[in-house]
Amino acid sequence: MNKNNKNTQSAALTPPLEGQGEVVILAIESSCDDTSAAVLCDGILLSNVTASQAVHEAYGGVVPELASRAHEQNIVPVVDQALKRAGVEREQLSAIAFTRGPGLMGSLLVGVSFAKGMARSLGIPLIDVNHLQGHVLAHFIKEAEDDHDQPSFPFLCLLVSGGNSQIIKVNSYKDMEILGQTIDDAAGEAIDKCSKVMGLGYPGGPVIDRLARQGNADAFKFAKPNIKGYDYSFSGLKTSFLYSLRDWLKDDPDFIEHHKEDLAASLEKTIVDILMKKLRQAVKDTGIRQVAVAGGVSANNGLRNAFHDHARRYGWKIFIPKFSYTTDNAAMIGITGYFKYLDKDFCSIDAPAFARMEK
Ligand code: KG4
C-alpha cells in the first residue's frame, strides 16, 4: 500500500476499530455519466480514478442508454487503475462501498452489480451509499492526515448539482435534515438548459462560468422567484431567459454572439443571488455559521466568490471543496463508506439500486 506517498499518509481520520487493523475500502460511483473508483485506507484517500463520457456532448445532455453502456466499458479498467495507483491488492480490501442511488437506473445498475459481484467473490461486506450524502461528506475527504480543516457538526450545506438544489442541516454524518430544496429545476439544470438555448453545448456550467468571467453581470435582468421558506425554483428564470432572448433575437439575429459574455455573467449572477439569499436566511434562522457548498455547481467561480464574500461580510466559516471533488467522484462515496464501516452499517447482497430518493 502506498502509504508513504505525499498524499497518502498513514494516520487515520478516525481511529480504526480496536483490533481491526487497516480498513481498506474500494468505492464505486456510477450514478450518472462518470465511472469512478477510489481506494481509501483508514479514511485517507489513496487513489481516485474517474472516466468521463464525452459521448453525450453531441446530444446536448446525458443519454441514459449510452451512459450505462459506457459504464460497462469503463468499470473494469477504472477499478483496476484505482487499485494499482493505491498499491492495493484485491485481497487487502476490507469492504466495497457503492452508490446505490439516486441516479439513472441503468447507470447505477452497472456499479451496483459490479460491487456486489466483487464483494461476493472476495467474501467481504458491502456498504451502500446515498449519492447526495456522499456529495455533502466530500468535505471530509482527506488526502493526508494534515489536510485542510473540515466542518464540525452541525453545519449547513448548499448542495447544488444538475439534479438537486438543497439547503441541508448536517447534524452528523448520518443525520441530515433538508431545510429546503428546489420545487422544479435544479440550479445546474437551469444553467445547462440556458446554455443549450445559447448554443453553447453540454454541459453548460463550465462554459457559462468561463464566459461570465469576461462579462458584465448587471447587463441584463432575469426573473427571480418568490417562493416561501428555504425552497428554490429555477423554472421561471429559465423561461424568462428564453423569452428575453427570443425578443432580443428579433432585433438582432446575432444577439447571442454579440452579448454572450454579458448574458452568461447576468445569468450566473441571478442564479447565485437566488441561491445565496435563501442560504443567508437559513444561517440567520439557525444561527449556524459554518457553511459548506457541494455538488457540480460548486465548481462555479461566481458561487465560490459569493461564499468568500459572505465569509468576509457576515463572518461565516466556509467550506469549499477542491474542484476534483465537486462533480461526481468515488472518493466521496469512499469516505461515506468508511464512516459506515466504522458503524458496521453494511447492506445485504440483494439491496436494490434506487433512482429516486423515496426507496
Ligand atoms: O454533481 P454533478 O457532477 O452531477 C449531478 O448532477 O449529479 O453536477 C453537474 C452539474 C451540471 O449541471 C453542470 O453544468 C454543473 O454541475 N457545473 C457547473 C460548473 N461545473 C459543472 N455549473 C456552473 N459552473 C461550473 N463551473
Side-chain angles (χ1 to χ4, degrees):
M1 232 166 281
N2 299 336
K3 284 183 118 188
N4 294 324
N5 289 352
K6 183 181 164 288
N7 291 335
T8 56
Q9 303 298 302
S10 58
L13 176 62
T14 311
L17 298 181
E18 213 173 320
Q20 197 167 41
E22 287 175 334
V23 177
V24 186
I25 293 184
L26 168 68
I28 293 171
E29 153 67 32
S30 73
S31 64
C32 190
D33 60 343
D34 290 305
T35 320
S36 186
V39 178
L40 292 84
C41 180
D42 291 340
I44 308 292
L45 185 68
L46 301 184
S47 67
N48 182 44
V49 178
T50 303
S52 300
Q53 305 176 359
V55 66
H56 308 287
E57 281 165 20
Y59 300 90
V62 177
V63 183
E65 179 58 29
L66 295 180
S68 44
R69 285 187 208 180
H71 282 305
E72 279 175 353
Q73 284 171 350
N74 293 339
I75 191 130
V76 172
V78 163
V79 168
D80 199 47
Q81 268 302 308
L83 288 168
K84 282 205 179 92
R85 284 191 201 172
V88 164
E89 301 292 335
R90 285 169 176 67
E91 296 66 33
Q92 290 175 282
L93 294 175
S94 317
I96 299 183
F98 64 97
T99 304
R100 188 171 159 194
L104 297 172
M105 186 49 88
S107 291
L108 287 165
L109 283 176
V110 178
V112 170
S113 313
F114 187 93
K116 286 179 179 176
M118 192 164 170
R120 163 78 38 120
S121 73
L122 294 168
I124 55 175
L126 272 169
I127 304 168
D128 61 331
V129 173
N130 179 305
H131 179 79
L132 303 179
Q133 189 186 11
H135 268 305
V136 174
L137 296 182
H139 289 282
F140 295 88
I141 297 170
K142 281 195 154 198
E143 296 174 350
E145 180 54 29
D146 56 357
D147 220 345
H148 65 90
D149 61 338
Q150 305 176 340
S152 51
F153 301 112
F155 65 94
L156 294 181
C157 184
L158 175 70
L159 175 56
V160 269
S161 69
N164 295 276
S165 298
Q166 299 179 328
I167 298 177
I168 302 168
K169 180 167 172 258
V170 189
N171 297 318
S172 74
Y173 87 84
K174 56 185 170 186
D175 176 11
M176 300 188 188
E177 224 176 296
I178 297 172
L179 300 184
Q181 59 189 326
T182 183
I183 58 166
D184 41 56
D185 290 353
E189 196 178 351
I191 295 175
D192 290 340
K193 284 179 179 166
C194 293
S195 143
K196 194 174 173 184
V197 170
M198 287 172 70
L200 298 176
Y202 175 87
V207 191
I208 294 286
D209 193 348
R210 183 171 47 76
L211 290 172
R213 307 278 70 77
Q214 302 147 41
N216 171 10
D218 296 314
F220 304 108
K221 294 268 174 281
F222 302 110
K224 286 186 184 165
N226 189 8
I227 307 281
K228 278 198 187 139
Y230 306 116
D231 283 343
Y232 289 118
S233 165
F234 290 99
S235 71
L237 163 65
K238 190 184 62 189
T239 312
S240 153
F241 187 84
L242 185 70
Y243 286 3
S244 304
L245 213 51
R246 200 183 52 185
D247 291 344
W248 293 326
L249 282 167
K250 276 185 203 153
D251 299 331
D252 174 7
D254 294 325
F255 187 86
I256 295 175
E257 192 47 41
H258 293 152
H259 299 279
K260 60 178 189 276
E261 291 85 2
D262 289 349
L263 283 167
S266 304
L267 172 69
E268 182 188 276
K269 181 175 189 284
T270 311
I271 290 179
V272 170
D273 284 353
I274 295 170
L275 291 171
M276 296 311 288
K277 187 177 176 197
K278 293 286 172 105
L279 194 56
R280 270 196 309 276
Q281 192 61 45
V283 169
K284 201 170 156 206
D285 295 348
T286 60
I288 298 170
R289 283 166 178 274
Q290 287 194 99
V291 194
V293 62
V297 182
S298 68
N300 181 265
N301 284 290
L303 184 58
R304 288 173 170 244
N305 291 342
F307 261 71
H308 286 294
D309 179 53
H310 279 63
R312 274 190 302 271
R313 278 205 287 167
Y314 303 112
W316 293 6
K317 184 158 171 44
I318 55 167
F319 298 89
I320 301 178
K322 264 177 78 168
F323 281 107
S324 46
Y325 304 136
T326 56
T327 46
D328 294 345
N329 66 87
M332 67 186 197
I333 303 304
I335 193 65
T336 310
Y338 175 68
F339 289 137
K340 291 186 86 170
Y341 185 97
L342 296 181
D343 272 357
K344 291 196 182 328
D345 186 358
F346 304 128
C347 77
S348 80
I349 193 90
D350 52 10
F354 61 93
R356 293 177 185 278
M357 277 307 289
E358 49 287 346
K359 276 192 244 177

